[in-house]
Amino acid sequence: GGRRGASGDVWVPLQVTGVALGTFLGDVGAEGVGGSGTIDGTIPLQVAKGHVAVANGSLAARGPGRLSIRSRAVRDALSGAGKEVALMLSALEDFHYDRLSVTIDKPADGVAHLRIETFGRNPAVEDGRPFAINLNLETDIDRIAGSLAEALRLPGRIVGSILRRNR
């Protein structure tokens, strides 16, 4: 059962259990971002008029894994931001995390904001010294509304019925 928002809209809490981090990142369209490890959490989802909204989705890795961010868009956006940022981007190319969490928010009419918080190291950067990294990414997840259910192992008919009800 979902909860109703102030306007009477239905929010369905998607339970994410045992999903591969790399699959999830690929499915939300985070270009040049991959990883390994297993994540769990909840993504409160609403589909209205073909648009997806997410309110305070929260995911966390079960244990250690890897994160790989080789996104030209991220690199371009942060170019010229200084030596520490360049070091962080190098570390993120093959980041061996001990902890990782992702929060997701997305208004129905806008882009998704993903905040990745992680702690770990890249063995090839700074002699493997540990980094605590908080990274904000934006991505357009509306194009994957249909495959989101499949990616998160939900019965497709649930999202289908939400899509039909809100047309």
Side-chain angles (χ1 to χ4, degrees):
R3 65 178 170 81
R4 291 196 178 270
S7 63
D9 298 322
V10 176
W11 288 86
V12 178
L14 301 185
Q15 297 300 320
V16 177
T17 305
V19 172
L21 177 64
T23 300
F24 172 78
L25 291 170
D27 285 335
V28 297
E31 188 179 332
V33 181
S36 68
T38 303
I39 56 172
D40 303 298
T42 305
I43 302 176
L45 175 73
Q46 179 189 55
V47 182
K49 296 181 177 75
H51 294 285
V52 176
V54 177
N56 199 26
S58 179
L59 302 169
R62 288 183 181 177
R66 283 189 173 180
L67 182 64
S68 171
I69 299 180
R70 299 168 189 265
S71 167
R72 183 175 302 279
V74 170
R75 211 168 261 287
D76 289 349
L78 297 175
S79 68
K83 192 174 125 179
E84 284 298 311
V85 172
L87 196 60
M88 176 191 74
L89 289 173
S90 293
L92 286 171
E93 288 185 0
D94 182 25
F95 196 70
H96 299 225
Y97 65 81
D98 296 319
R99 295 188 307 272
L100 179 130
S101 64
V102 180
T103 56
I104 307 164
D105 281 289
K106 184 197 175 297
D109 59 352
V111 297
H113 298 273
L114 276 65
R115 180 173 174 83
I116 299 173
E117 297 182 15
T118 186
F119 179 81
R121 62 201 46 77
N122 180 330
V125 174
E126 296 271 305
D127 296 320
R129 96 168 152 94
F131 288 88
I133 296 175
N134 298 317
L135 187 64
N136 293 302
L137 301 174
E138 291 185 350
T139 184
D140 178 8
I141 62 172
D142 273 349
R143 64 187 178 78
I144 56 106
S147 66
L148 189 59
E150 186 180 332
L152 300 177
R153 298 182 184 161
L154 282 181
R157 64 182 181 278
I158 293 174
V159 169
S161 70
I162 295 169
L163 281 165
R164 284 190 297 278
R165 189 182 319 138
N166 288 288
R167 283 214 168 106

Short mmCIF file of all heavy atoms in Angstrom, two decimals, residues 83-95 120-133:
data_model
loop_
_atom_site.label_atom_id
_atom_site.label_comp_id
_atom_site.label_asym_id
_atom_site.label_seq_id
_atom_site.Cartn_x
_atom_site.Cartn_y
_atom_site.Cartn_z
N LYS A 83 42.88 21.37 -7.15
CA LYS A 83 43.65 20.14 -7.05
C LYS A 83 42.92 19.05 -6.27
O LYS A 83 42.98 17.87 -6.64
CB LYS A 83 44.98 20.47 -6.38
CG LYS A 83 46.01 19.37 -6.46
CD LYS A 83 47.35 19.83 -5.91
CE LYS A 83 47.78 18.88 -4.82
NZ LYS A 83 49.07 19.22 -4.24
N GLU A 84 42.24 19.41 -5.18
CA GLU A 84 41.53 18.42 -4.37
C GLU A 84 40.42 17.74 -5.18
O GLU A 84 40.21 16.54 -5.07
CB GLU A 84 40.94 19.05 -3.11
CG GLU A 84 41.97 19.32 -2.03
CD GLU A 84 42.64 18.05 -1.52
OE1 GLU A 84 41.94 17.07 -1.19
OE2 GLU A 84 43.89 18.02 -1.45
N VAL A 85 39.72 18.51 -5.99
CA VAL A 85 38.64 17.95 -6.81
C VAL A 85 39.23 17.02 -7.87
O VAL A 85 38.70 15.93 -8.12
CB VAL A 85 37.78 19.06 -7.45
CG1 VAL A 85 36.79 18.48 -8.45
CG2 VAL A 85 37.04 19.83 -6.36
N ALA A 86 40.33 17.42 -8.48
CA ALA A 86 40.99 16.57 -9.48
C ALA A 86 41.44 15.26 -8.84
O ALA A 86 41.30 14.18 -9.43
CB ALA A 86 42.18 17.30 -10.09
N LEU A 87 41.93 15.33 -7.61
CA LEU A 87 42.35 14.15 -6.87
C LEU A 87 41.16 13.24 -6.59
O LEU A 87 41.23 12.02 -6.77
CB LEU A 87 43.02 14.58 -5.56
CG LEU A 87 43.84 13.55 -4.81
CD1 LEU A 87 45.00 13.06 -5.68
CD2 LEU A 87 44.38 14.18 -3.52
N MET A 88 40.03 13.84 -6.18
CA MET A 88 38.81 13.08 -5.92
C MET A 88 38.34 12.36 -7.20
O MET A 88 37.99 11.19 -7.16
CB MET A 88 37.70 13.99 -5.41
CG MET A 88 36.37 13.28 -5.20
SD MET A 88 34.98 14.40 -4.90
CE MET A 88 34.70 15.06 -6.54
N LEU A 89 38.35 13.09 -8.33
CA LEU A 89 37.92 12.48 -9.60
C LEU A 89 38.82 11.31 -9.97
O LEU A 89 38.34 10.28 -10.45
CB LEU A 89 37.90 13.53 -10.71
CG LEU A 89 36.79 14.57 -10.62
CD1 LEU A 89 36.98 15.64 -11.67
CD2 LEU A 89 35.42 13.91 -10.74
N SER A 90 40.12 11.44 -9.74
CA SER A 90 41.04 10.32 -10.01
C SER A 90 40.73 9.14 -9.11
O SER A 90 40.70 8.00 -9.55
CB SER A 90 42.49 10.76 -9.80
OG SER A 90 42.85 11.71 -10.78
N ALA A 91 40.48 9.42 -7.83
CA ALA A 91 40.17 8.34 -6.88
C ALA A 91 38.90 7.61 -7.29
O ALA A 91 38.80 6.39 -7.17
CB ALA A 91 40.02 8.91 -5.46
N LEU A 92 37.92 8.35 -7.80
CA LEU A 92 36.62 7.75 -8.14
C LEU A 92 36.65 6.87 -9.39
O LEU A 92 35.70 6.16 -9.66
CB LEU A 92 35.56 8.84 -8.31
CG LEU A 92 35.09 9.47 -7.00
CD1 LEU A 92 34.21 10.68 -7.28
CD2 LEU A 92 34.35 8.45 -6.14
N GLU A 93 37.75 6.91 -10.15
CA GLU A 93 37.81 6.05 -11.33
C GLU A 93 37.83 4.57 -10.96
O GLU A 93 37.36 3.74 -11.72
CB GLU A 93 39.02 6.43 -12.20
CG GLU A 93 38.81 7.75 -12.90
CD GLU A 93 39.94 8.09 -13.85
OE1 GLU A 93 40.91 7.31 -13.97
OE2 GLU A 93 39.85 9.16 -14.49
N ASP A 94 38.38 4.24 -9.79
CA ASP A 94 38.38 2.85 -9.31
C ASP A 94 38.37 2.91 -7.78
O ASP A 94 39.36 2.64 -7.12
CB ASP A 94 39.60 2.09 -9.83
CG ASP A 94 39.60 0.63 -9.36
OD1 ASP A 94 38.50 0.09 -9.08
OD2 ASP A 94 40.69 0.04 -9.26
N PHE A 95 37.22 3.28 -7.24
CA PHE A 95 37.10 3.54 -5.81
C PHE A 95 36.63 2.29 -5.08
O PHE A 95 35.58 1.75 -5.39
CB PHE A 95 36.10 4.69 -5.59
CG PHE A 95 36.18 5.31 -4.23
CD1 PHE A 95 37.27 6.08 -3.87
CD2 PHE A 95 35.16 5.14 -3.31
CE1 PHE A 95 37.35 6.67 -2.60
CE2 PHE A 95 35.23 5.72 -2.05
CZ PHE A 95 36.32 6.48 -1.70
N GLY A 120 36.25 5.31 1.29
CA GLY A 120 37.10 4.22 0.81
C GLY A 120 38.38 4.76 0.22
O GLY A 120 38.83 5.84 0.59
N ARG A 121 38.91 4.01 -0.76
CA ARG A 121 40.21 4.39 -1.32
C ARG A 121 40.35 3.85 -2.74
O ARG A 121 39.67 2.90 -3.12
CB ARG A 121 41.34 3.84 -0.45
CG ARG A 121 41.37 2.33 -0.35
CD ARG A 121 42.12 1.78 0.85
NE ARG A 121 41.82 2.40 2.13
CZ ARG A 121 40.73 2.19 2.87
NH1 ARG A 121 39.80 1.37 2.44
NH2 ARG A 121 40.55 2.78 4.02
N ASN A 122 41.26 4.46 -3.48
CA ASN A 122 41.71 3.94 -4.76
C ASN A 122 43.17 3.56 -4.55
O ASN A 122 43.99 4.42 -4.26
CB ASN A 122 41.58 5.02 -5.85
CG ASN A 122 42.04 4.53 -7.22
OD1 ASN A 122 42.92 3.68 -7.33
ND2 ASN A 122 41.46 5.10 -8.26
N PRO A 123 43.49 2.26 -4.67
CA PRO A 123 44.87 1.81 -4.39
C PRO A 123 45.93 2.56 -5.22
O PRO A 123 47.07 2.67 -4.79
CB PRO A 123 44.85 0.33 -4.75
CG PRO A 123 43.42 -0.07 -4.71
CD PRO A 123 42.62 1.16 -5.06
N ALA A 124 45.54 3.09 -6.38
CA ALA A 124 46.51 3.74 -7.27
C ALA A 124 46.64 5.25 -7.02
O ALA A 124 47.43 5.92 -7.68
CB ALA A 124 46.10 3.51 -8.72
N VAL A 125 45.84 5.80 -6.09
CA VAL A 125 45.86 7.25 -5.85
C VAL A 125 46.33 7.54 -4.43
O VAL A 125 45.77 7.00 -3.46
CB VAL A 125 44.46 7.85 -6.10
CG1 VAL A 125 44.43 9.33 -5.72
CG2 VAL A 125 44.06 7.68 -7.55
N GLU A 126 47.38 8.39 -4.32
CA GLU A 126 47.88 8.82 -3.01
C GLU A 126 48.21 7.63 -2.10
O GLU A 126 47.84 7.65 -0.91
CB GLU A 126 46.86 9.73 -2.32
CG GLU A 126 46.60 11.03 -3.03
CD GLU A 126 47.56 12.13 -2.60
OE1 GLU A 126 47.66 12.42 -1.40
OE2 GLU A 126 48.21 12.71 -3.49
N ASP A 127 48.82 6.60 -2.66
CA ASP A 127 49.19 5.40 -1.90
C ASP A 127 48.00 4.76 -1.19
O ASP A 127 48.13 4.20 -0.10
CB ASP A 127 50.29 5.72 -0.86
CG ASP A 127 51.59 6.15 -1.53
OD1 ASP A 127 51.93 5.55 -2.57
OD2 ASP A 127 52.23 7.09 -1.03
N GLY A 128 46.83 4.89 -1.80
CA GLY A 128 45.63 4.25 -1.23
C GLY A 128 45.09 4.94 0.01
O GLY A 128 44.34 4.34 0.77
N ARG A 129 45.42 6.23 0.19
CA ARG A 129 44.91 6.92 1.38
C ARG A 129 43.39 7.01 1.30
O ARG A 129 42.82 7.15 0.22
CB ARG A 129 45.57 8.28 1.56
CG ARG A 129 44.82 9.47 1.02
CD ARG A 129 45.45 10.77 1.52
NE ARG A 129 45.25 11.87 0.61
CZ ARG A 129 44.25 12.74 0.71
NH1 ARG A 129 43.36 12.62 1.67
NH2 ARG A 129 44.14 13.72 -0.16
N PRO A 130 42.70 6.93 2.47
CA PRO A 130 41.24 6.94 2.45
C PRO A 130 40.66 8.32 2.15
O PRO A 130 41.25 9.34 2.51
CB PRO A 130 40.86 6.48 3.86
CG PRO A 130 42.06 6.65 4.69
CD PRO A 130 43.26 6.67 3.80
N PHE A 131 39.53 8.32 1.47
CA PHE A 131 38.79 9.54 1.15
C PHE A 131 37.35 9.36 1.63
O PHE A 131 36.76 8.30 1.45
CB PHE A 131 38.70 9.75 -0.37
CG PHE A 131 39.98 10.16 -1.04
CD1 PHE A 131 40.88 9.20 -1.49
CD2 PHE A 131 40.27 11.49 -1.26
CE1 PHE A 131 42.05 9.56 -2.13
CE2 PHE A 131 41.45 11.86 -1.91
CZ PHE A 131 42.34 10.90 -2.34
N ALA A 132 36.80 10.43 2.19
CA ALA A 132 35.35 10.52 2.42
C ALA A 132 34.83 11.44 1.32
O ALA A 132 35.29 12.57 1.20
CB ALA A 132 35.05 11.10 3.79
N ILE A 133 33.92 10.94 0.49
CA ILE A 133 33.47 11.70 -0.68
C ILE A 133 31.95 11.84 -0.66
O ILE A 133 31.22 10.87 -0.46
CB ILE A 133 33.92 11.00 -1.99
CG1 ILE A 133 35.44 10.98 -2.07
CG2 ILE A 133 33.31 11.70 -3.21
CD1 ILE A 133 36.01 10.22 -3.25
#
